[in-house]
């Protein structure tokens, strides 16, 4: 009862307009080990949450290349679920996925196929981060097939930072750093829905043909429209993850530009040391996408907001209207966020010539389709006992084509691996980037070069649509790295 009451109180902290952006708790390592205990629990409102040190707040996990993550994950969810699941009755099973980390898919590491805790059970993770792992922003969330959407929508997710990114872009050292976890919050049955819509200035304008009314608003670090403090002209390093279960954000900081340092945990300098940043007025992040960028405080007296622009998700998609994520206000002089530390890491620069592979025919084609009965990859629904749909030879780069044969957007994610997205709808992408989740336009395609060269990544894994309600309903398949 005490924990439930504390969770309810904490869930409401910072919800009024004008509250300062809360910082999640952090966990750091000692002697090359980052250790913590995380619980899956249910709050007083019946929603599934992560509990850490008695608080309903997922910690930011901070580790260095070469560290080991040791996580005791305890499933304290009730045996009978309070909420419905995608295809059948919920069983309140749960596990963890370390999204974007280039680590082993074997048991005790990033295994989402075999490692599963039923209520009352505990999982023990020991994730070995390679010494040459790219530094950047990653995240962790639950991944039980059939129940992922419900748990992530409830907020079972957190940020994971691999330190050392300033070794790829030295001007980051000493900049104030903020971690922003953007989540969707369901308002479908919320008695405060009208007030929540008003507070985020939910737009009534549509930018597509989506027939439904909006059912979610966004929170930042668990708060509805908080204030982010920054002094005029001050440069800060913002690390933003779209931890929504099923919504896009098209980020824009009014009156300012993003100086992009990394996307999806991959420093731009790693593959393009001569052009280490990109400048953009807005950045589309699909569910699971991450942006790491330098921002500059607006002039004194100039109001500014961090917003998401309206996203056209297609005739069969869910509405993604424009709304305000946070107000950017002048810093009073107190409460500076921690600064990005200097690093002694040596950057692992990898300038690659992939022109021949780009011009070659695709070695594998992924086709997303859907109908009233479910969601499919290459005509098949995911089954736990299915054979791998594709085999990837470790040590190779492979040209894949992802085809979206539907009337809504699908973000494609593959576990353990990054890829270069270089063409969309058969046209070259200007300034292509390395990602682990890519938006695939409806009725269109994206061409990517998969990097299967990491010898650590061997065994069975998965790729899927990261609209988690689609993944739960079948849009996932196995891949074997061998």
């Amino acid at each position: 009862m005490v924990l439930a009451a504390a969770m309810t109180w904490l869930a409401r902290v910072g919800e009024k307009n004008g509250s300062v952006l809360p910082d999640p708790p952090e966990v750091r390592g000692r002697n090359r080990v980052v250790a913590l205990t995380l619980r899956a629990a249910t709050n007083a409102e019946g929603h599934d949450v992560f509990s850490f040190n008695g608080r309903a707040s997922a910690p930011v996990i901070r580790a260095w290349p070469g560290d080991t993550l040791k996580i005791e994950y305890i499933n304290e969810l009730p045996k009978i679920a309070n909420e419905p699941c995608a295809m059948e009755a919920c069983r309140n099973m749960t596990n963890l996925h370390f999204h974007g980390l280039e680590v082993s898919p074997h048991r005790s590491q990033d295994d989402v196929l075999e490692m599963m805790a039923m209520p009352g059970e505990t999982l023990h993770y020991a994730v070995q981060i390679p010494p040459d792992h790219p530094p950047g922003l990653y995240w962790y969330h639950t991944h039980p097939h059939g129940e992922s959407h419900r748990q992530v929508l409830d907020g079972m997710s957190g940020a994971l930072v691999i330190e050392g990114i300033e070794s790829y872009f030295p001007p980051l050292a000493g900049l104030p750093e903020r971690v922003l976890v953007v989540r969707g919050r369901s308002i479908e049955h919320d008695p405060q829905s009208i007030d929540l819509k008003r507070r985020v200035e939910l737009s009534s304008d549509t930018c597509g043909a989506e027939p439904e009314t909006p059912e979610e608003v966004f929170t930042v670090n668990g708060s509805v429209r908080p204030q982010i403090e920054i002094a005029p002209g001050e440069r800060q390093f913002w690390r933003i993850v779209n931890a929504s279960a099923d919504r896009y954000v098209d980020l824009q900081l009014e009156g300012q530009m993003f100086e992009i340092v990394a996307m999806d945990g991959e420093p731009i300098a790693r593959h393009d040391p001569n052009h280490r940043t990109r400048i953009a007025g807005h950045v589309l992040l699909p569910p699971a996408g991450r942006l790491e960028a330098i921002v500059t405080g607006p002039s004194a007296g100039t109001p500014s907001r961090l917003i998401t622009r309206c996203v056209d998700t297609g005739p069969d998609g869910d509405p993604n209207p424009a709304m305000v994520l946070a107000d950017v206000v002048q810093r009073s002089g107190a409460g500076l966020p921690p600064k990005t530390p200097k690093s002694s890491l040596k950057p692992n620069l990898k300038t690659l010539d992939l022109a021949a592979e780009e011009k070659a025919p695709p070695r594998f084609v992924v086709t997303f389709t859907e109908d009233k009965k479910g969601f499919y990859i290459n005509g098949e629904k995911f089954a736990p006992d299915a054979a791998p749909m594709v085999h990837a030879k470790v040590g190779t780069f492979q040209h894949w084509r992802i085809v979206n044969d539907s009337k809504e957007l699908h973000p494609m994610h593959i576990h353990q691996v990054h890829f270069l997205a270089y063409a969309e709808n058969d046209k070259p992408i200007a300034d292509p980037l390395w990602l682990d989740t890519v938006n695939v336009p409806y009725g269109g395609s994206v061409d990517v070069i998969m990097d299967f060269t990491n010898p650590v990544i061997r065994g069975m894994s998965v790729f899927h649509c990261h609209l988690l309600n689609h993944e739960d309903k079948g849009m996932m398949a196995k891949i074997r790295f061998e």
Side-chain angles (χ1 to χ4, degrees):
M1 291 296 292
V2 174
L3 178 59
M7 288 178 173
T8 301
W9 178 81
L10 286 163
R12 299 187 183 282
V13 170
E15 283 202 351
K16 293 183 179 179
N17 287 2
S19 61
V20 176
L21 177 77
D23 292 322
E26 292 190 346
V27 179
R28 297 176 182 267
R30 294 182 60 185
N31 300 320
R32 311 301 296 177
V33 174
V34 183
L36 69 148
T37 297
L38 193 66
R39 289 175 164 82
T42 301
N43 66 13
E45 297 174 342
H47 297 302
D48 298 340
V49 296
F50 281 147
S51 172
F52 172 70
N53 285 349
R55 297 180 56 188
S57 182
V60 176
I61 300 173
R62 290 185 173 270
W64 287 87
D67 284 357
T68 298
L69 302 182
K70 290 191 175 181
I71 302 176
E72 181 184 45
Y73 184 46
I74 305 171
N75 186 351
E76 295 180 349
L77 298 173
K79 292 184 179 180
I80 300 177
N82 297 319
E83 300 174 271
C85 281
M87 299 297 289
E88 55 187 26
C90 295
R91 294 186 288 164
N92 274 350
M93 58 184 179
T94 191
N95 61 4
L96 296 176
H97 168 46
F98 304 96
H99 185 116
L101 288 191
E102 298 177 2
V103 296
S104 170
H106 288 158
R107 188 173 184 85
S108 83
Q109 300 202 55
D110 194 20
D111 174 13
V112 300
L113 292 170
E114 300 295 335
M115 290 187 72
M116 194 71 63
M118 302 304 293
E121 296 180 345
T122 298
L123 296 174
H124 296 274
Y125 288 92
V127 183
Q128 299 172 0
I129 302 170
D132 60 349
H133 196 287
L137 177 63
Y138 300 86
W139 67 301
Y140 61 98
H141 62 86
T142 61
H143 208 293
H145 178 65
E147 306 191 27
S148 298
H149 178 264
R150 177 179 60 92
Q151 293 182 7
V152 174
L153 181 61
D154 279 354
M156 298 182 77
S157 61
L160 197 165
V161 174
I162 303 299
E163 305 279 21
I165 194 169
E166 61 282 353
S167 65
Y168 286 83
F169 191 61
L172 290 175
L175 291 187
E177 178 182 312
R178 297 188 184 277
V179 175
L180 309 179
V181 181
V182 178
R183 297 186 180 94
R185 169 174 166 175
S186 175
I187 57 173
E188 187 177 6
H189 303 295
D190 194 322
Q192 303 179 58
S193 61
I194 295 176
D195 179 56
L196 290 170
K197 290 180 181 180
R198 176 188 58 78
R199 281 155 56 188
V200 300
E201 299 182 30
L202 189 73
S203 174
S204 59
D205 297 332
T206 60
C207 52
E210 304 92 346
E212 294 89 359
T213 58
E215 297 176 350
E216 294 182 31
V217 298
F218 287 111
T219 65
V220 182
N221 292 356
S223 292
V224 176
R225 195 174 175 175
Q227 292 183 346
I228 303 176
E229 294 185 333
I230 186 170
E234 177 186 6
R235 285 159 59 84
Q236 293 186 358
F237 182 39
W238 288 9
R239 315 182 92 160
I240 307 173
V241 52
N242 179 5
S244 169
D246 56 5
R247 293 295 186 268
Y248 284 76
V249 293
D250 191 355
L251 295 171
Q252 181 178 10
L253 182 57
E254 293 177 329
Q256 304 295 320
M257 304 293 281
F258 292 113
E259 184 179 359
I260 304 172
V261 176
M263 295 291 294
D264 285 3
E266 278 278 337
I268 292 173
R270 188 178 187 220
H271 294 286
D272 193 355
N274 295 322
H275 305 89
R276 298 189 175 213
T277 63
R278 302 283 191 273
I279 304 297
H282 65 97
V283 179
L284 179 66
L285 287 186
R290 284 97 66 212
L291 166 69
E292 296 176 82
I294 299 170
V295 302
T296 303
S299 303
T302 303
S304 183
R305 305 176 301 174
L306 178 65
I307 67 171
T308 176
R309 297 156 35 120
C310 189
V311 179
D312 177 8
T313 62
D316 292 345
D318 295 317
N320 264 234
M323 69 183 79
V324 180
L325 301 179
D327 292 295
V328 180
V329 300
Q330 186 169 337
R331 182 167 54 81
S332 60
L336 260 177
K339 294 182 178 181
T340 304
K342 292 183 179 180
S343 169
S344 59
L345 291 179
K346 182 179 180 181
N348 180 22
L349 304 178
K350 299 176 67 174
T351 303
L352 302 171
D353 183 3
L354 301 173
E357 190 65 31
E358 291 177 9
K359 295 176 182 178
R363 301 199 194 191
F364 185 62
V365 177
V366 178
T367 302
F368 290 145
T369 56
E370 58 184 82
D371 58 27
K372 293 181 179 180
K373 296 181 180 179
F375 296 79
Y376 312 87
I377 294 181
N378 293 356
E380 298 181 17
K381 278 188 179 182
F382 176 80
D385 59 352
M389 183 174 286
V390 61
H391 296 251
K393 185 178 180 181
V394 176
T396 65
F397 293 95
Q398 289 190 8
H399 173 193
W400 282 25
R401 175 167 293 162
I402 302 101
V403 178
N404 183 353
D405 192 12
S406 79
K407 296 181 180 179
E408 65 176 311
L409 299 182
H410 292 290
M412 197 285 294
H413 168 57
I414 183 168
H415 289 207
Q416 279 80 44
V417 170
H418 281 76
F419 50 79
L420 177 68
Y422 71 91
E424 181 175 310
N425 295 335
D426 295 318
K427 297 180 180 178
I429 296 173
D431 294 324
L433 294 170
W434 288 82
L435 307 167
D436 62 45
T437 306
V438 66
N439 176 55
V440 189
Y442 56 90
S445 64
V446 172
D447 286 83
V448 305
I449 302 297
M450 293 285 179
D451 183 353
F452 295 138
T453 61
N454 192 334
V456 170
I457 302 168
R458 294 179 183 272
M460 192 78 78
S461 192
V462 295
F463 57 98
H464 59 88
C465 173
H466 219 286
L467 296 174
L468 293 179
N469 54 336
H470 295 181
E471 182 269 309
D472 281 345
K473 296 176 182 178
M475 198 172 271
M476 182 164 76
K478 294 179 183 178
I479 177 172
R480 181 180 289 280
F481 303 107
E482 56 190 23

